Amino acid sequence: MDATPFKLTDPLGTAPCKPPFKQSVSTGVPWNNLPITRDYTLGQLLDQTIARCGTQDALVYADRDFRLTWYEFGIEVDRLASGLMALGVKRGEKIALWSTNVPYWIILMFASAKIGAVLLPLNMSYKNAEIDFALKQSDTENLFLINGFRDTDFVQTIYDLIPELKEQPRGELKSAKYPLLKRVLFLGPEKHRGMYSLNEVLALAVQTPRTDYLARQKEIGCHDVVNMQYTSGTTGFPKGVQLTHSNIANDGFWIGACQNMTSVDRVCIPVPLFHCFGCVLGVMSCVNHGATMVLLEKYDPVTVMMSIEKERCTAVYGVPTMYIAMLDHPLFSKFDFSSLRTGIMSGTTCPIKRMQQCVNLMNMREITNPYGLTESGPVMTQTRYFETSLDKKCNSIGLALPGIEVAIISPETGEICAVNEPGEICCRGFNTMKGYYNMPEQTAKCIDPNGWLHSGDIGHMDDQGYYFITGRLKDLIIRGGENISPKEVEDFICHVPGVQDVQVVGVPSKKYGEQPAAFIIRMPDSTITEQDVEDFCRNKIAWFKIPKFIHFVGEFPMTASQKIQKYKLRDLASQLWPDA
């Protein structure tokens, strides 16, 4: 059993290469002679961790009576995987999962991986239109769901989209709208018409011979797709990012190593598992290093603080708004944070004052800041646990991860820029996605012929090998860690009766980083109001995509060639709503 802290013998030697640099491209080097990549499937990786750390806690929910050791976790994974095989789930089938961070979320993640299925996590805030698009575009064969989240009834939503569920026998679904969908399953013990309950799937495990289960696992390769996540882009159409076992297993290893993570660590994970922040930065880091996952079903500052104290967590994850909610909570001083030392703050820039509070008041002296995008597995750069400069922790996005090339490339010439020269942040390596599902043209736009994955973010690299973001090429809004495509929101609002045209931009926000704002031109004689637009959007698109601010204008600022000048709208938005 490995309980030895993973220490770097030469912290200064972990820079991607020795300064001074001539070009703004670097490749992270492995530490302590560790191999850069490991050719394991998620199932093989999990089995190794079970063999090494079997009696230690694997998964804990501090707010309820739920605790599994790695041995027990492995047993549940095998039961669920065998049950899915008994139902007929084949290698390569997609398993969509619409759920909060319930205990069986992670168990399903590894059960799917062990039988060669592809997990498709769905955003908990999705509404009818978004679920409809995801099920159609992904060609999903299986769907797991829970009762609901916030004001959305997941079960009723699915019945509305798939009325045949109430009329046809389970396992014989034939949907007119989703012809490839075979099964709908409920991730809990409750029974719903047309759906298999979790208990029923687990009970079917005995019908799968162990020899068949082991044979299935031998068919799976580390470069097979294991996870598919929908991400918003500049086109307005969500794209299914295909990530392989190798992508997320190796990325998870180095994300954990940058925090000096070992099997003695206990990591509080209050971020959503449907996002790479939860299922890769959180889960895959812990599984790689045998650390305990302390989960929350949904974020609540008091429950997070209670979990940290009760479970003696050594790390906690979150976006800046989550940390701010804890730091400013009236009960903050009542909790003990002395066990903490590291963790991750990501999603948007953190004010230095708040980072200082995390270090001083929460004992997170080794907190780290990663950067990447879903398409990059997701992390390409990260600050290290031994970094002492608050400026580097807050304002930089760290050094390249070992084995990943990171470059600043000129959008105009395609050449690699000089040190401190601005350009687009790009990367290539083991972390690069396999491509967008059924979108070859979009894939080609993201990954160039030289293999560089383009982030759409503008930045530079200093002579120490640290990367910095200074702007964005792509017109994306990032609200509290959630990506919002302005084009997607614009396309939706265009359907509001009385709207002639609309432009959506991001407004700087101290709390969320950015908030979406809509500038709308009314049709002649239209009298629509802000409330009309909000009412049209509510319960049809995710709540965080609904514009926080709406302003009606007579025209948009245009260039001489009649292109809309969005930067002028952003400037106007900052003036209209300075306290967003």
Side-chain angles (χ1 to χ4, degrees), residues 124-142:
M124 297 181 302
S125 298
Y126 274 180
K127 301 294 184 182
N128 295 49
E130 293 145 324
I131 290 293
D132 176 59
F133 176 88
L135 293 178
K136 285 178 179 175
Q137 201 280 331
S138 66
D139 298 325
T140 289
E141 294 91 350
N142 308 275

Side-chain angles (χ1 to χ4, degrees), residues 279-297:
C279 69
V280 180
L281 282 77
V283 174
M284 292 312 305
S285 292
C286 290
V287 173
N288 265 286
H289 297 278
T292 300
M293 298 172 280
V294 180
L295 263 288
L296 280 79
E297 186 169 332

Side-chain angles (χ1 to χ4, degrees), residues 380-402:
M380 66 174 83
T381 68
Q382 189 171 351
T383 57
R384 309 306 199 236
Y385 75 93
F386 51 78
E387 178 59 64
T388 58
S389 166
L390 277 182
D391 179 62
K392 285 286 195 335
K393 284 181 183 289
C394 290
N395 296 325
S396 85
I397 53 173
L399 306 164
L401 285 193

Side-chain angles (χ1 to χ4, degrees), residues 62 268 294 296 303-313:
C268 183
V294 180
L296 280 79
T303 309
V304 175
M305 294 187 288
M306 179 275 292
S307 298
I308 292 170
E309 178 178 288
K310 182 179 177 182
E311 294 299 322
R312 304 297 295 160
C313 291

Side-chain angles (χ1 to χ4, degrees), residues 3 12 26 28 37 62 153 297 304 316 340 383 409 462 468 515:
L12 296 179
S26 63
T37 59
D153 185 327
E297 186 169 332
V304 175
V316 60
L340 286 176
T383 57
I409 297 179
D462 70 11
F468 299 81
Q515 289 275 25

